[in-house]
Amino acid sequence: MEHDLPPVLSLDIGGTKLAAGVVTGDGRIHGWQLTPTLRDEGPRRVLSRLFDLGRKAIAEAGVPHVAAVGISCGGPLDAAAGVLECPPHLPGWIDIPIGAMATEAFGVPSALENDATAAALGEFRHGAGRGTSTMLYLTVSTGVGGGSVIGGRLHRGAAGNGGELGHVMVRPGGRACSCGRLGCLEAYASGTSIAERAREAVAAGRASSLSAVESPTAEDVSLAAAAGDALANEIWDETTGALGTAITDLVNAFEPELVVLGGGVTRSGARLLDPVAAAVARDAMPPAARAARIELAQLGAGVCVVGAGAVAHDLVTGKTDA
């Protein structure tokens, strides 16, 4: 039973924020902690602060001990070896043995997982995906990441970094993506891209209420689109169109019961969800379209911490499926 699982410590390493919390078997976070990453300090100092944050979370959660540590971070990484190989959001972090470092710091086993894959597991087990067998998860935020559960099993891929759904190509030869290719979903749907396209259009002299904003963000674009701004709606339609195209192809390939959309851009709610769901219903193969629901994530900002907790619980129990 999930409620019989021991508490575990979850650590999440983002490009701008570090998070920590103690996660119990029901997926609840206790002793939640958040602090800036300050990635320019380098891995040694950042990880020292992260482990201190974890100790504070344990103290505030009021648990006598934790059974394991789960760590969530963007890849590329070697989950089996517990090594961060070269995550682009953490420049200079090359071959960092964070798993062994966490085990030494806390005296318990540790497990490393890609952040989007961990988030997918969290939503599957404790959020929107409860009760499903096949579920896809996309996080639409600064970048676009993803993870999948296929037939009840978390899919990691042959090299452990499977689920890079943000790098599905939607516009061959299109905008440059952070991965170095052209036309990836991330280059059109991420919050970074939405903001970039708005700034480019305003700089090119396009008329828009966004010209009054010093540095428009994705949220600014969403709000301006809702208010009827023509340029903002053009950018938003391009964004939801790219998402709809990618998710339609993924639904055709995997025929999931559920596609879950999370991340900061999804705070726009129905303005994002409705056109994407309509595109999938219209364009996916009919059996796949009928089977798939498109829904927003339920776990909010703590999804990676909950997911890393689920990974740590699997380490404790030896569980191999999702």
Side-chain angles (χ1 to χ4, degrees):
M1 295 290 291
E2 65 180 22
H3 295 281
D4 296 328
L5 292 171
V8 295
L9 176 64
S10 292
L11 305 174
D12 178 47
I13 308 170
T16 59
K17 295 177 183 176
L18 304 174
V22 172
V23 177
T24 44
D26 56 3
R28 294 177 60 195
I29 303 172
H30 308 263
W32 169 264
Q33 304 292 322
L34 197 66
T35 193
T37 303
L38 305 178
R39 62 185 186 180
D40 291 341
E41 290 184 348
R44 186 173 298 277
R45 291 185 65 184
V46 171
L47 291 178
S48 177
R49 289 192 298 105
L50 177 67
F51 295 156
D52 285 344
L53 202 68
R55 295 182 187 99
K56 186 176 181 182
I58 293 170
E60 293 201 7
V63 297
H65 68 277
V66 293
V69 179
I71 307 159
S72 158
C73 186
L77 53 79
D78 184 336
V83 173
L84 295 175
E85 294 181 336
C86 53
H89 67 297
L90 297 169
W93 289 46
I94 308 298
D95 294 333
I96 305 299
I98 189 170
M101 295 169 72
T103 292
E104 181 179 356
F106 295 98
V108 294
S110 66
L112 173 65
E113 189 58 84
N114 178 278
D115 53 0
T117 305
L121 181 60
E123 283 289 343
F124 178 77
R125 194 168 290 169
H126 300 295
R130 283 173 294 185
T132 65
S133 174
T134 299
M135 183 204 86
L136 305 180
Y137 171 83
L138 285 91
T139 176
V140 189
S141 190
T142 305
V144 178
S148 55
V149 177
I150 309 298
R153 298 181 68 88
L154 186 64
H155 176 72
R156 293 182 172 91
N161 289 277
E164 290 287 0
L165 305 184
H167 299 291
V168 172
M169 190 170 289
V170 294
R171 302 284 189 274
R175 293 180 64 86
C177 181
S178 62
C179 73
R181 302 196 310 161
L182 301 177
C184 292
L185 175 61
E186 181 173 298
Y188 288 88
S190 69
T192 302
S193 170
I194 295 169
E196 283 178 351
R197 282 177 285 147
R199 291 194 291 268
E200 289 168 5
V202 169
R206 295 286 302 275
S208 171
S209 62
L210 294 169
S211 61
V213 182
E214 183 176 350
S215 185
T217 64
E219 183 178 14
D220 292 326
V221 175
S222 174
L223 293 173
D229 184 277
L231 173 63
N233 271 296
E234 180 182 312
I235 295 168
W236 199 255
D237 288 348
E238 185 178 41
T239 300
T240 58
L243 267 172
T245 296
I247 293 174
T248 294
D249 287 347
L250 293 170
V251 164
N252 284 338
F254 292 99
E255 203 168 277
E257 299 154 74
L258 178 66
V259 179
V260 179
L261 301 180
V265 174
T266 67
R267 286 197 293 265
S268 56
R271 175 162 286 276
L272 182 85
L273 183 67
D274 289 353
V276 170
V280 174
R282 180 186 67 237
D283 297 333
M285 298 295 288
R290 287 192 296 269
R293 308 189 316 274
I294 317 296
E295 297 182 3
L296 295 177
Q298 295 181 0
L299 297 180
V303 63
C304 288
V305 170
V306 175
V311 171
H313 279 132
D314 287 353
L315 179 66
V316 171
T317 62
K319 187 179 177 70
T320 57
D321 59 9

